[in-house]
Amino acid sequence: MEEWVGYKWHEYITRQALGEFPEHAVYLKDEARSLGIVFRAFGGDPALSLVTAEPRHFRLRRRFLHKLAGTHRKCELAWRDEQNLRLPEKVARFPSKQLNRDLYIWLAALAATPAPADSDWFTGNQALVQDVLLRWPGLENVYQRLVKHVLYWRPDPDSLTDPEAVREQAICQALIHPGSVPTLPPADTDPWPVILWLYPALEQGKANGQVTGDEDTHSSPGGHTKKNKRKQAERVEAFDRDQGLMIFRLESLFSWTEFIPVDRAGDDTDEEDAEAVADDMDMISVSNDRKETSSAIKFDLDLPSEEHDDLHLGPGIHLPEWDWRSQSYRERFCCLQPLLAKDAVPAELPEALRRPAKLLQRQFSALKPLKQWQKRQLDGDELDLDACLEREVQHRRGQGTTDQKLFRRCQQSQRDLACLVLADVSLSTETYINNHQRVIDVARDGLQLLSEALQASRDPFALFAFSSRRRDHVRFHHLKSFDEPYTSTIRGRIQALEPGFYTRMGTAIRQATKLLEMRHEHQKILLLLTDGKPNDLDVYEGRYGVEDTRMAVQEAQKAGLTPFCVTIDDEASEYLPYVFGSSNFVVIRDPAQLPLQLPKLYLNLTQ
């Protein structure tokens, strides 16, 4: 009973101190899709992702109610960096859902506008507001409504010290008439947060060494997406099990139960809700040899020794890479190594795939070239008996026609296209999608069924797979070239595929583009199979990898190719429309259906 009363009291005091309207709350997760469209419609960078902003610490002059509830020490505010636009996870400041939603739209418009050069936070935001209202006059009413409510809950200058009161009046004046206040008056405390403005990007943290984990969004096996929030970090000394506080004299020791380990190790107890605890922490301490109950570990991999590796086909191919930060190519920056499976043995189609393969062969055989006779030609392969008979009948009737089109010619109906299939065999394909299959297993089955179908249609096709370990070792597995027939040897190479390293996607796409450019067919399809975003151990993370892949896709399109991506990544809709375009990719929600869906997708692309 006491706990329940305490909880209700805390809930009441917190609600009164925050001054929010929880019944009118609007959440970023519900508005993210429409906000992304609005942000890009305003001219925002399409490569930026919408993620939740982590709370910032402020040194505010808090009221007694704020101190009692323990609120207003941190606040979620909007800001952007080179990779993300970060917005508050929830907006409940205004007494209507529409106003709270308008705040998201206003912040998206503000973030889509280029920031003025050589300006501080105060004058820069005023210039941004002026620019947005000049470019989009329809937002004037929205902005004025938001300002009216923001001014209502901002602190009263009469309750502040003189410097703070002058500063608060300057901020209010800047909100009402943007650009009218040239400088922000100084004060000892931080200014009360301005939720209508953008704030500078937060610092990366205090850790001096490599910290386990990364900033990107991860999905747990259950499908729950963690919040993409950054934390401050610090290095601490590792826990020493020989140290502890003993609150008694050693000569009075009677039992071991009187020892209390104040500095508790991470493996003493299992944390049932570690994610929630970490989300509440302001500072995360990292030690080098401390055990963790559970974590997502990012580690380096060693390459296999030369004698156990696949056969290297040549010394390697040097290819450029796009650096979006400098807006230029890094010439001969990546080394692509063609490989051929060393231990692959010829194999037959697995028993489980034979029935669907026969159905696909029957369906695709209707696409193979057929002989078509063109009748009544001036010349050709042989006489057209119908034309000759008709002429003889007319001649005997005395009609005297002299029709010379007495031949027929045989012509092949040809599908003028070629397809190159590029499969991602990075380490993530080791993941199990059910109790029996991994991603690499369904990828192999998909490649084999598609090959059986294309063999029946007689469309020229090639198969390659790729993975990478930094820029100087991009592995390009040779499965089948355009000139090779599809035999048991090719099946053996496909079945020998195993998960490799990382996903330097742009380099593999550039090599596939070069191979397809040498074909003479009119339609050239580059079909990419993957299970995640571009990534590697070096700088090829986040936006760098996405931008390089996008540039490689554009290069393929300029060369007359049709790049198309097939993925099983649930988060693909966040980056694939930017990389491949809105209609040049598909997400397979059930990875187990990939082998059967792949030939159908090929039919839709080529018919």
Side-chain angles (χ1 to χ4, degrees):
M1 185 62 181
E2 292 178 357
E3 293 181 359
W4 182 83
V5 172
Y7 173 76
K8 290 299 181 182
W9 171 252
H10 172 73
E11 188 180 48
Y12 172 77
I13 291 297
T14 303
R15 184 169 60 251
Q16 295 298 318
L18 288 175
E20 294 183 342
F21 302 89
E23 66 276 11
H24 300 297
V26 176
Y27 294 87
L28 181 60
K29 63 180 181 180
D30 300 325
E31 304 294 327
R33 184 177 296 275
S34 59
L35 276 179
I37 297 174
V38 170
F39 174 69
R40 288 160 181 80
F42 281 134
D45 190 342
L48 295 184
S49 301
L50 294 179
V51 296
T52 56
E54 59 271 23
R56 292 169 177 261
H57 286 269
F58 285 89
R59 296 182 298 109
L60 303 175
R61 188 172 300 278
R62 299 187 295 161
R63 303 166 187 166
F64 172 76
L65 188 59
H66 299 160
K67 296 178 181 179
L68 182 63
T71 60
H72 291 79
R73 290 179 299 180
K74 297 185 295 184
C75 185
E76 292 184 0
L77 298 165
W79 57 280
R80 65 184 176 190
D81 56 14
E82 294 178 344
Q83 302 199 31
N84 301 300
L85 168 57
R86 299 180 180 267
L87 299 174
E89 180 185 2
K90 178 186 71 172
V91 175
R93 176 62 63 181
F94 306 115
S96 73
K97 283 185 177 292
Q98 186 57 50
L99 275 174
N100 291 320
R101 190 173 290 110
D102 286 345
L103 177 59
Y104 274 136
I105 295 175
W106 170 256
L107 292 174
L110 208 64
T113 306
D118 301 329
S119 62
D120 58 14
W121 167 78
F122 185 67
T123 57
N125 273 290
Q126 292 184 75
L128 272 180
V129 172
Q130 289 180 304
D131 195 3
V132 169
L133 296 180
L134 181 63
R135 295 173 60 194
W136 313 104
L139 292 177
E140 177 72 36
N141 292 333
V142 174
Y143 177 71
Q144 294 300 334
R145 288 197 304 269
L146 292 174
V147 169
K148 176 182 176 181
H149 285 83
V150 165
L151 295 178
Y152 178 77
W153 60 262
R154 290 194 66 82
D156 185 0
D158 294 337
S159 64
L160 305 175
T161 62
D162 291 341
E164 293 173 354
V166 173
R167 183 184 61 189
E168 180 62 28
Q169 291 172 351
I171 293 177
C172 293
Q173 178 68 19
L175 286 171
I176 299 172
H177 302 290
S180 61
V181 186
T183 58
L184 181 65
D188 294 334
T189 59
D190 292 331
W192 204 264
V194 184
I195 62 175
L196 298 183
W197 289 353
L198 296 180
Y199 275 70
L202 289 175
E203 297 179 358
Q204 296 293 334
K206 298 180 180 179
N208 294 322
Q210 183 179 0
V211 180
T212 303
D214 78 68
E215 275 188 53
D216 293 337
T217 301
H218 300 281
S219 294
S220 63
H224 173 68
T225 302
K226 298 181 180 179
K227 300 172 186 177
N228 191 5
K229 291 187 177 181
R230 299 193 297 185
K231 294 289 185 181
Q232 286 188 327
E234 63 177 355
R235 287 290 184 190
V236 297
E237 296 296 331
F239 171 70
D240 189 353
R241 296 179 182 274
D242 296 333
Q243 295 181 359
L245 176 63
M246 304 184 79
I247 57 175
F248 55 89
R249 299 177 61 183
L250 289 176
E251 57 266 22
S252 63
L253 178 62
F254 294 102
S255 68
W256 289 104
T257 59
E258 297 185 35
F259 171 73
I260 303 175
V262 176
D263 188 5
R264 188 180 64 182
D267 56 355
D268 284 351
T269 60
D270 293 331
E271 182 59 64
E272 297 180 358
D273 197 2
E275 181 182 354
V277 172
D279 193 48
D280 290 336
M281 296 175 64
D282 297 328
M283 180 74 69
I284 295 180
S285 300
V286 182
S287 62
N288 289 328
D289 58 352
R290 193 164 194 162
K291 294 183 179 180
E292 296 179 346
T293 55
S294 63
S295 63
I297 302 175
K298 184 177 180 180
F299 54 90
D300 200 346
L301 297 172
D302 292 328
L303 290 171
S305 61
E306 189 71 25
E307 59 180 331
H308 298 292
D309 199 6
D310 293 335
L311 296 175
H312 289 216
L313 304 178
I317 302 171
H318 290 279
L319 295 169
E321 187 168 273
W322 175 256
D323 187 351
W324 71 275
R325 293 167 297 192
S326 62
Q327 292 293 298
S328 62
Y329 283 99
R330 295 181 170 184
E331 298 296 336
R332 298 177 59 86
F333 188 70
C334 299
C335 181
L336 180 138
Q337 180 60 62
L339 299 171
L340 185 65
K342 185 177 182 179
D343 299 327
V345 295
E348 297 300 322
L349 194 66
E351 184 67 29
L353 300 181
R354 292 181 182 178
R355 178 179 174 81
K358 289 183 179 180
L359 296 176
L360 290 172
Q361 288 171 351
R362 190 178 305 118
Q363 183 179 5
F364 275 70
S365 62
L367 304 177
K368 65 183 179 182
L370 300 175
K371 289 184 178 181
Q372 294 182 346
W373 290 97
Q374 294 181 331
K375 298 182 178 181
R376 299 184 181 277
Q377 303 295 315
L378 291 175
D379 55 55
D381 300 327
E382 58 186 44
L383 288 172
D384 186 348
L385 297 181
D386 292 336
C388 293
L389 181 60
E390 183 178 349
R391 179 184 179 186
E392 183 65 23
V393 171
Q394 292 177 352
H395 178 70
R396 292 194 177 189
R397 290 178 178 177
Q399 296 179 356
T401 59
T402 58
D403 188 3
Q404 302 297 321
K405 297 180 180 180
L406 303 177
F407 296 88
R408 67 175 187 169
R409 184 186 305 117
C410 181
Q411 188 175 24
Q412 294 277 357
S413 61
Q414 187 72 27
R415 280 166 55 88
D416 192 20
L417 62 88
C419 178
L420 188 148
V421 184
L422 186 60
D424 169 14
V425 290
S426 58
L427 192 64
S428 58
T429 58
E430 181 73 24
T431 306
Y432 276 84
I433 60 173
N434 51 43
N435 293 333
H436 310 288
Q437 290 178 304
R438 302 171 297 170
V439 174
I440 189 67
D441 298 328
V442 297
R444 288 195 297 245
D445 292 347
L447 290 176
Q448 292 187 98
L449 285 182
L450 181 61
S451 299
E452 296 290 336
L454 296 183
Q455 180 71 8
S457 68
R458 299 184 186 176
D459 290 341
F461 70 100
L463 305 175
F464 295 90
F466 73 97
S467 65
S468 65
R469 186 180 181 273
R470 294 191 175 92
R471 65 182 180 88
D472 54 353
H473 192 86
V474 182
R475 301 165 67 84
F476 199 72
H477 300 270
H478 177 102
L479 303 178
K480 177 189 178 302
S481 66
F482 285 105
D483 299 329
E484 288 182 282
Y486 180 67
T487 62
S488 58
T489 301
I490 308 301
R491 297 190 191 98
R493 294 175 187 171
I494 297 175
Q495 295 178 17
L497 282 176
E498 288 296 337
F501 301 94
Y502 299 93
T503 318
R504 210 172 195 98
M505 200 174 289
T507 306
I509 291 177
R510 288 187 177 91
Q511 178 62 15
T513 300
K514 291 176 60 177
L515 296 175
L516 272 173
E517 280 185 305
M518 294 186 291
R519 300 295 302 178
H520 63 274
E521 285 81 6
H522 176 70
Q523 185 179 7
K524 305 171 187 178
I525 298 175
L526 173 55
L527 191 60
L528 175 66
L529 308 182
T530 183
D531 67 333
K533 294 178 68 173
N535 73 299
D536 209 331
L537 286 171
D538 49 18
V539 297
Y540 211 81
E541 282 283 352
R543 185 172 180 180
Y544 185 98
V546 169
E547 291 285 355
D548 176 63
T549 304
R550 179 173 182 261
M551 185 58 66
V553 170
Q554 291 180 351
E555 294 168 15
Q557 292 172 340
K558 292 178 181 179
L561 278 59
T562 305
F564 192 88
C565 179
V566 181
T567 181
I568 61 173
D569 184 11
D570 292 335
E571 300 174 2
S573 57
E574 296 180 4
Y575 60 91
L576 281 187
Y578 177 70
V579 176
F580 283 87
S582 58
S583 60
N584 292 331
F585 75 95
V586 66
V587 180
I588 306 296
R589 300 299 179 184
D590 183 5
Q593 296 299 315
L594 175 64
L596 296 177
Q597 293 296 326
L598 198 55
K600 296 179 181 179
L601 291 171
Y602 178 82
L603 278 179
N604 293 335
L605 282 173
T606 58
Q607 284 186 336

